[in-house]
Amino acid sequence: MSNRLLEINNLNIAFGSGKNVFNAVTDLSLSVSKGQTAALIGESGSGKSVTSLSVLKILPANGRAESGSIRFDDKEILQMTEKEMQKIRGNEISMIFQDAIASLNPAMKVGIQITEGLKYHKQIAKSELRTVALSLLEQVGFHNPAHIFDQYPSQLSGGMKQRILIAMAISCRPKLIIADEPTTALDVTIQRQVLDLIADYKIREDASVLMITHDFGVVAEYADWVYVMFGGRIVESGDVFTIFNNPIHPYTKGLIGCIPSMESDSERLKSVYDYSFEEAGYKGRKFAPETYSMESKVYHAPSSLIEVEPGHYVRLFDENEVTIVG
Amino acid sequence: MIVRLLKQPQFLIGFLFIVSLILLSFIYPSIMDVQKESKFLYDENEVIVGVAPFSPKDMPPFGTDMNGKHLLYLVLEGAKYTILITLVITFLRIFFALFFSLFHRKSKSTFFDDIVQATLYIPTAILAYMFMVPLFVKDATEPMGMMTLIVVQCLILVGIGVPPLVSTFSEEIRSILAKDYIVSTFSLGSKKPYVYYKHVLPELSSKLLLLFAQQAIQTLILLAHLGVLAVFIGGSKTVMMGDIFNLTPATISLSGEWAGIIGQSYQKLLTAPWIILVPLSFFAFTIFSINLMIQGIQNSLESNKS
Ligand SMILES: Nc1ncnc2c1ncn2[C@@H]1O[C@H](COP(=O)(O)OP(=O)(O)OP(=O)(O)O)[C@@H](O)[C@H]1O
Ligand SMILES: [Mg+2]
């Protein structure tokens, strides 16, 4: 039995068909160890959400995992039937979505929505569902759960809704929580509260978390392992200390540089783009992909992840394909 | 929902008009002094001074048709058939369309959609006419009885309304299924039937009432058009009319619905316009009432959201 709870290998995800095929995720490998938090970080549109949806096999109808493998608890998810997946969703892997407002049915009491997962997975009497829901609400920090139970989503604030989503996600005590930018829509003070709730659950249940974010500050505080994603590929990965102390890929450096620091006296915040092309390469090989903006061309020569030190990988173009000019 | 609807004045007015029309249609013989026919008009000396049709001025409130039948009673008599047939057709259209779109959603056939799109440009009255004419031919050779005829006709009227509705519903369901909270419940392990029952149908049902009203209007208009084309629900028979010197064949609607009244007197549009205008304005008022109800429904849906 390996220590890895979730292991994704060489995953490719595509949308559309025929001429309109669009590869959203290319050759992605990542793993989440038991009891740990792995962070998947990258800019908007880099394929983070798509990756997480594919773990639960709930990609939109026009998308599909074309090749690769997703192993959870040593079972291949891509081979599972819909029925087997229904047993895993919510019960062993659950998801906290990016947009709390849209992720709750506006016409249904939040208390009822919390118990949806329980109804499928646990043998709980109808009369007891409410009690369980109330205790879940209390776990996510509501002081008056009985009142909240009967509210509709529109009657709650953004942070409250996000906590409802967390209550839904932890209701069946899953082994893995995928949190897809759970705090993007929240203001800074509440971000902490929400992230701490997830971290608490992780420690309490010895669960694992796949944290999706575009905020390196969050990564520094909560993650054990980091995967930096760009344009549908992992461009750098390693444990959190290595990545912070010795980032190699310019895109990673850019993301880390975006965290404002007290000592820095530069006049404006640096953006990722300030780091583009700053460095020629690493040990004679160019960093892949070539540009860091989704709008401009991404150079698609063959590239691979190279282990630059134990456990620290960086994506570089394959040696013979590209020679560094100048 | 219902309580909130009844608080909408527009909805209430429309609703009351239609309900009282139906009620009157059933009970008018017992509460009104019914003299259904006046073929001739006599003066004090019992001398005939006029022959039907009479204008509303001579025979208030609405005048009579060529046979001296009072239009008021014709219209009242026809109201129940017209409105009930409309309701039944509308209900069946929605029911079948919902059934097909819920259980036949997997085959997201664009081919079907294309065909439906194409037929949307053919006036439904013509479509219905094309289907009904063979029916009358058959009925003329081997009569099938009025009830059977009505049922078959209604089925045709239901049938031509279902495909466009199926594509409306499928579209609607697809857009609901694409919502984030559906993905969210699926991510908790929900099964399809549950999601349809608990999330999709409730969301659809608020729209259902609206669609029902819109379909009812379409059906009424379709009935009126068919009347003009002399296609009567319940069939027709041809009789000889006029005086002995001037016999003309005329078709008469067997059930009393409004379209029939219009259709059988269509040739009289110029000489006795009220025969057409009275049932036509009843069509118009009914449609107007339904429109009022739609307004009310929309208002209450709006206030529901906020
Ligand atoms: N249903 C879809 N059809 C076609 N393309 C899609 C679909 N969903 C996502 N994509 C594409 O997949 C790519 C990755 O999208 P994804 O939602 O995973 O980005 P993300 O990294 O989560 O971004 P964000 O930080 O904004 O949430 C995008 O380029 C997007 O256009
Ligand atoms: Mg996303």
Side-chain angles (χ1 to χ4, degrees):
Chain A
M1 192 90 182
S2 81
N3 186 32
R4 303 224 159 125
L5 185 62
L6 177 72
E7 185 156 21
I8 303 179
N9 277 313
N10 311 101
L11 180 69
N12 288 288
I13 299 173
F15 284 100
S17 56
K19 274 184 194 161
N20 302 323
V21 168
F22 170 73
N23 293 309
V25 169
T26 314
D27 196 26
L28 178 135
S29 303
L30 68 78
S31 62
V32 185
S33 301
K34 283 175 185 154
Q36 294 214 318
T37 299
L40 187 57
I41 183 168
E43 72 176 347
S44 189
S46 56
K48 307 184 296 290
S49 297
V50 168
T51 305
S52 58
L53 291 177
S54 71
V55 172
L56 283 177
K57 289 228 270 197
I58 45 175
L59 282 171
N62 59 340
R64 71 214 158 267
E66 298 225 288
S67 61
S69 92
I70 301 176
R71 298 186 71 80
F72 175 76
D73 237 3
D74 287 328
K75 288 177 300 246
E76 177 59 55
I77 284 198
L78 293 181
Q79 308 279 323
M80 284 189 189
T81 62
E82 178 64 17
K83 226 182 184 136
E84 291 171 304
M85 279 317 293
Q86 280 169 358
K87 289 202 185 103
I88 290 203
R89 291 182 197 134
N91 196 24
E92 306 206 39
I93 308 177
S94 69
M95 193 144 168
I96 301 169
F97 286 90
Q98 201 162 0
D99 186 348
I101 301 163
S103 299
L104 292 168
N105 186 342
M108 209 188 246
K109 287 179 182 172
V110 294
I112 306 290
Q113 298 194 51
I114 290 178
T115 57
E116 280 194 332
L118 287 167
K119 269 186 239 161
Y120 305 121
H121 301 302
K122 308 283 175 205
Q123 309 287 327
I124 297 180
K126 262 209 170 125
S127 50
E128 257 174 71
L129 274 179
R130 190 185 160 94
T131 327
V132 180
L134 292 182
S135 95
L136 279 167
L137 284 170
E138 219 172 295
Q139 275 176 49
V140 294
F142 288 107
H143 300 302
N144 46 353
H147 173 69
I148 299 293
F149 186 95
D150 288 320
Q151 302 283 296
Y152 288 92
S154 60
Q155 294 165 300
L156 303 177
S157 74
M160 289 160 108
K161 274 183 261 209
Q162 197 60 262
R163 282 190 275 156
I164 298 287
L165 280 193
I166 294 178
M168 281 166 83
I170 65 175
S171 63
C172 298
R173 301 161 168 253
K175 293 182 207 160
L176 174 66
I177 288 188
I178 301 176
D180 186 355
E181 305 195 41
T183 57
T184 332
L186 304 179
D187 78 63
V188 195
T189 49
I190 300 172
Q191 282 187 13
R192 261 208 100 74
Q193 195 188 3
V194 166
L195 290 169
D196 284 343
L197 275 174
I198 299 173
D200 287 348
Y201 173 81
K202 184 200 115 184
I203 293 167
R204 198 168 61 233
E205 300 283 332
D206 195 27
S208 311
V209 177
L210 177 58
M211 175 82 72
I212 293 171
T213 176
H214 50 230
D215 180 352
F216 239 114
V218 171
V219 174
E221 200 159 349
Y222 294 93
D224 302 300
W225 209 266
V226 186
Y227 295 88
V228 182
M229 196 167 181
F230 177 81
R233 294 161 202 261
I234 302 283
V235 293
E236 185 161 8
S237 73
D239 74 78
V240 71
F241 301 108
T242 314
I243 296 289
F244 267 93
N245 294 332
N246 184 23
I248 291 180
H249 200 285
Y251 180 65
T252 315
K253 286 185 182 174
L255 285 175
I256 294 175
C258 291
I259 308 172
S261 100
M262 299 295 268
E263 293 93 55
S264 139
D265 53 359
S266 63
E267 276 159 31
R268 64 182 185 91
L269 287 177
K270 285 192 168 182
S271 81
V272 171
Y273 302 99
D274 296 331
Y275 291 84
S276 315
F277 302 113
E278 213 167 66
E279 280 169 71
Y282 181 80
K283 294 194 177 150
R285 286 170 67 171
K286 263 189 154 183
F287 293 114
E290 196 171 55
T291 54
Y292 306 122
S293 156
M294 284 302 275
E295 283 78 40
S296 53
K297 180 176 113 252
V298 175
Y299 189 53
H300 275 304
S303 61
S304 44
L305 280 173
I306 305 298
E307 189 163 20
V308 291
E309 56 186 304
H312 185 184
Y313 294 83
V314 178
R315 182 167 294 276
L316 299 168
F317 282 118
D318 288 349
E319 225 157 349
N320 303 330
E321 307 285 340
V322 188
T323 45
I324 293 178
V325 198
Chain B
M1 175 84 190
I2 303 289
V3 178
R4 208 170 18 232
L5 268 182
L6 292 180
K7 280 186 191 145
Q8 293 287 336
Q10 289 124 311
F11 182 86
L12 207 61
I13 295 173
F15 186 71
L16 283 182
F17 177 80
I18 289 178
V19 167
S20 42
L21 204 56
I22 296 178
L23 277 182
L24 259 167
S25 175
F26 278 107
I27 59 172
Y28 78 96
S30 51
I31 57 166
M32 287 186 196
D33 159 37
V34 180
Q35 187 216 353
K36 282 190 180 173
E37 270 187 53
S38 332
K39 258 201 161 129
F40 306 103
L41 195 61
Y42 304 92
D43 65 6
E44 312 83 74
N45 309 322
E46 303 278 310
V47 175
I48 295 175
V49 292
V51 169
F54 296 108
S55 74
K57 214 173 75 201
D58 297 330
M59 287 279 168
F62 295 142
T64 73
D65 73 353
M66 283 105 59
N67 302 325
K69 294 212 169 82
H70 285 229
L71 274 168
L72 172 66
Y73 301 126
L74 280 181
V75 166
L76 279 182
E77 180 72 27
K80 53 179 178 244
Y81 299 114
T82 315
I83 296 177
L84 289 183
I85 286 176
T86 305
L87 289 182
V88 169
I89 289 176
T90 310
F91 177 80
L92 289 178
R93 277 186 181 182
I94 301 244
F95 178 82
F96 284 119
L98 203 57
F99 182 83
F100 285 128
S101 34
L102 280 181
F103 291 95
H104 223 283
R105 241 186 36 78
K106 268 202 191 111
S107 58
K108 195 175 68 180
S109 105
T110 46
F111 182 64
F112 173 77
D113 280 347
D114 290 345
I115 290 185
V116 171
Q117 285 297 321
T119 58
L120 287 184
Y121 297 102
I122 306 175
T124 40
I126 301 217
L127 216 57
Y129 188 72
M130 289 187 333
F131 283 113
M132 294 229 184
V133 167
L135 194 65
F136 288 128
V137 173
K138 186 169 185 310
D139 188 45
T141 51
E142 38 185 302
M144 52 177 94
M146 186 162 134
M147 253 352 256
T148 335
L149 194 61
I150 291 185
V151 170
V152 178
Q153 281 176 319
C154 284
L155 283 183
I156 291 177
L157 294 182
V158 169
I160 58 173
V162 167
L165 264 182
V166 170
S167 69
T168 311
F169 278 138
S170 310
E171 194 55 42
E172 200 67 48
I173 291 175
R174 223 170 294 159
S175 84
I176 295 175
L177 282 179
K179 291 198 171 167
D180 282 357
Y181 64 79
I182 299 288
V183 181
S184 171
T185 56
F186 274 127
S187 85
L188 286 175
S190 307
K191 298 185 176 63
K192 274 227 168 88
Y194 174 88
V195 172
Y196 274 93
Y197 179 64
K198 280 283 187 184
H199 292 274
V200 176
L201 274 183
E203 173 127 7
L204 209 57
S205 65
S206 58
K207 301 232 168 80
L208 229 48
L209 208 54
L210 212 59
L211 264 174
F212 188 91
Q214 284 162 350
Q215 282 295 312
I217 292 182
Q218 283 190 14
T219 311
L220 278 172
I221 295 176
L222 178 58
L223 284 179
H225 285 179
L226 285 178
V228 172
L229 292 173
V231 175
F232 307 132
I233 301 299
S236 58
K237 68 176 180 213
T238 307
V239 294
M240 288 303 165
M241 300 248 291
D243 49 62
I244 31 174
F245 303 110
N246 185 19
L247 272 180
T248 45
T251 36
I252 295 182
S253 152
L254 290 179
S255 79
E257 44 90 33
W258 296 341
I261 308 176
I262 298 176
Q264 71 195 25
S265 317
Y266 195 62
Q267 312 90 312
K268 294 284 184 289
L269 181 59
L270 292 179
T271 49
W274 61 89
I275 305 179
I276 315 273
L277 291 182
V278 170
L280 215 51
S281 33
F282 269 82
F283 265 119
F285 268 111
T286 311
I287 290 172
F288 177 66
S289 315
I290 300 178
N291 262 327
L292 280 179
M293 288 167 70
I294 291 182
Q295 289 266 316
I297 297 171
Q298 267 164 348
N299 285 349
S300 89
L301 284 184
E302 298 280 298
S303 62
N304 205 4
K305 259 183 215 144
S306 59

